[in-house]
Amino acid sequence: MKDKISSINDLTLEDTKRIFKIATLKENIFSKFNEALNGKILGSIFLQPSTRTQLSFQSTFVRLGGTYIGFSDINHSRSGAPYYEPLDDMAKIVSLYCDIIVMRTINAQYTKDFLSECSVPFISAGSGNAEHPTQALTDLFTMQQVFGEDLSYLDVLIIGTPRQRTINSLVLGLSKWNEIKVHIICQPGIQFPSFVQENLSHPLYIDYFESVSTFLKHYDGQKIDVIYMDKLFSETNLYEGIELDEECLYQNFKKNVKIMHPLPRTKELPKRIDKHPGALYFMQAQNGIYVRAALFLSMLS
Ligand code: NCD
């Protein structure tokens, strides 16, 4: 297995299977491996805000016997104002102090700069708008919990921007299986970036729609297995006005269609949907702990 994970494609299907086998132990991971990371230090370098990803990586590392140091804001380091220390210099230093580094950046180039001088194992916790490999692992694991190990033939409706790192990594991850269908509802004119289109493991059926109603005019909502959403792109103000309408959901989709979201949500996913029998997003957040624990164990022990 590679020791630098910045794309979901840095993990083979075999790696993924090994990680998921451990993750399936769920809470028992922490009793079985509670000393596995004794003496190890995680560098937790979050240069962009994070709730779930940051805290699940940290909590997991501690529960496996390790400790962590780090930042949750670029301005708490010398790479923020006023010195703007280059990230490759930061990487040289943090590599001296830690056994493994988890890093989130607001710009994918920052992750690349850091990686150029990072000499210890590395896991991206989200790089700009490029990729978020451990969210995709969490999403794929959650799908397997529901649909079984073989995700081939899954029919997924994505409501989000095909420029969001969660969506890029999910689509790359799904393409490790055969005959996946992806329909994406997004602002007109936007398509997956070329690095996604060029790195799919198997060809995917992908079509684009401007709204849920246009999608439903062209496709039978009953065929959809998963509705995958991400937050409105508020950080860049790219998109507004998409909301999963409760009535439309109950009328047009399977009764227990699975609804996934990496969270945090904004207006697109009203709280009313939480009682829908297929709402999986809090389970996703919980699975994030098991998947990240399994990833640490696979990389460090
Ligand atoms: C991410 C966030 O909001 O930053 N959420 C998550 O990791 N669970 C999603 C993202 O990376 O955009």
Side-chain angles (χ1 to χ4, degrees):
M1 189 169 144
K2 285 191 179 177
D3 77 341
K4 306 274 190 296
I5 311 296
S6 59
S7 164
I8 187 72
N9 277 352
D10 289 325
L11 297 164
T12 63
L13 192 53
E14 285 313 307
D15 294 332
T16 314
K17 280 188 184 155
R18 257 199 321 274
I19 294 164
F20 289 174
K21 195 167 170 205
I22 305 174
T24 310
L25 295 172
K26 300 201 161 174
E27 286 303 320
N28 293 332
I29 299 176
F30 301 112
S31 39
K32 190 162 177 199
F33 299 106
N34 63 337
E35 296 191 354
L37 303 186
N38 271 1
K40 301 267 192 240
I41 300 177
L42 164 69
S44 170
I45 309 298
F46 280 77
L47 306 183
Q48 188 193 17
S50 172
T51 301
R52 277 148 290 269
T53 307
Q54 176 181 212
L55 299 186
S56 64
F57 269 123
Q58 294 172 350
S59 153
T60 296
F61 208 81
V62 170
R63 290 164 87 186
L64 294 173
T67 51
Y68 70 89
I69 55 177
F71 324 108
S72 54
D73 183 329
I74 193 167
N75 291 316
H76 295 165
S77 77
R78 287 305 201 197
S79 296
Y83 296 104
Y84 304 104
E85 178 177 30
L87 285 165
D88 49 347
D89 277 3
M90 192 212 266
K92 282 188 190 163
I93 304 305
V94 184
S95 298
L96 296 173
Y97 302 162
C98 300
D99 300 290
I100 183 166
I101 295 170
V102 166
M103 176 183 226
R104 170 174 286 192
T105 61
I106 199 161
N107 180 327
Q109 187 58 44
Y110 295 173
T111 306
K112 285 190 186 146
D113 293 347
F114 190 92
L115 267 171
S116 69
E117 291 293 345
C118 175
S119 56
V120 294
F122 174 94
I123 305 170
S124 166
S127 51
N129 57 7
E131 279 214 54
H132 193 343
T134 63
Q135 182 62 47
L137 269 186
T138 300
D139 298 340
L140 296 171
F141 179 72
T142 304
M143 288 178 184
Q144 286 197 345
Q145 298 280 293
V146 175
F147 298 105
E149 218 176 277
D150 185 3
L151 298 180
S152 305
Y153 297 97
L154 217 59
D155 203 334
V156 183
L157 174 63
I158 295 179
I159 306 181
T161 305
R163 292 267 179 88
Q164 272 163 301
R165 57 193 176 199
T166 47
I167 295 176
N168 292 340
S169 291
L170 174 68
V171 164
L172 286 170
L174 279 171
S175 78
K176 293 179 195 285
W177 284 269
N178 276 307
E179 304 287 337
I180 301 280
K181 279 196 180 131
V182 169
H183 320 272
I184 176 145
I185 295 175
C186 60
Q187 58 277 55
I190 296 204
Q191 298 212 334
F192 281 102
S194 52
F195 85 86
V196 174
Q197 301 190 37
E198 285 157 16
N199 288 293
L200 297 169
S201 305
H202 292 99
L204 277 184
Y205 172 95
I206 304 182
D207 52 16
Y208 297 84
F209 298 91
E210 287 175 28
S211 65
V212 178
S213 56
T214 12
F215 166 71
L216 289 169
K217 273 187 205 137
H218 289 89
Y219 202 80
D220 180 3
Q222 299 291 333
K223 290 189 181 155
I224 296 298
D225 301 305
V226 178
I227 301 179
Y228 188 96
M229 313 185 71
D230 200 353
K231 62 185 171 312
L232 295 178
F233 224 28
S234 56
E235 274 159 303
T236 48
N237 275 325
L238 267 182
Y239 200 31
E240 282 196 8
I242 282 241
E243 180 175 315
L244 188 59
D245 180 74
E246 200 180 6
E247 205 181 307
C248 164
L249 177 64
Y250 281 96
Q251 271 177 12
N252 295 290
F253 295 89
K254 281 180 211 162
K255 219 166 120 193
N256 67 345
V257 61
K258 305 305 172 211
I259 303 164
M260 299 181 66
H261 194 307
L263 302 176
R265 57 174 142 198
T266 51
K267 287 182 294 193
E268 74 287 352
L269 180 58
K271 286 199 169 183
R272 294 188 300 282
I273 309 284
D274 296 2
K275 54 183 188 311
H276 185 283
L280 295 186
Y281 25 97
F282 291 107
M283 174 179 161
Q284 265 171 279
Q286 185 169 15
N287 284 339
I289 289 194
Y290 309 134
V291 165
R292 291 184 176 110
L295 183 58
F296 280 140
L297 290 168
S298 308
M299 291 175 82
L300 285 180
S301 59

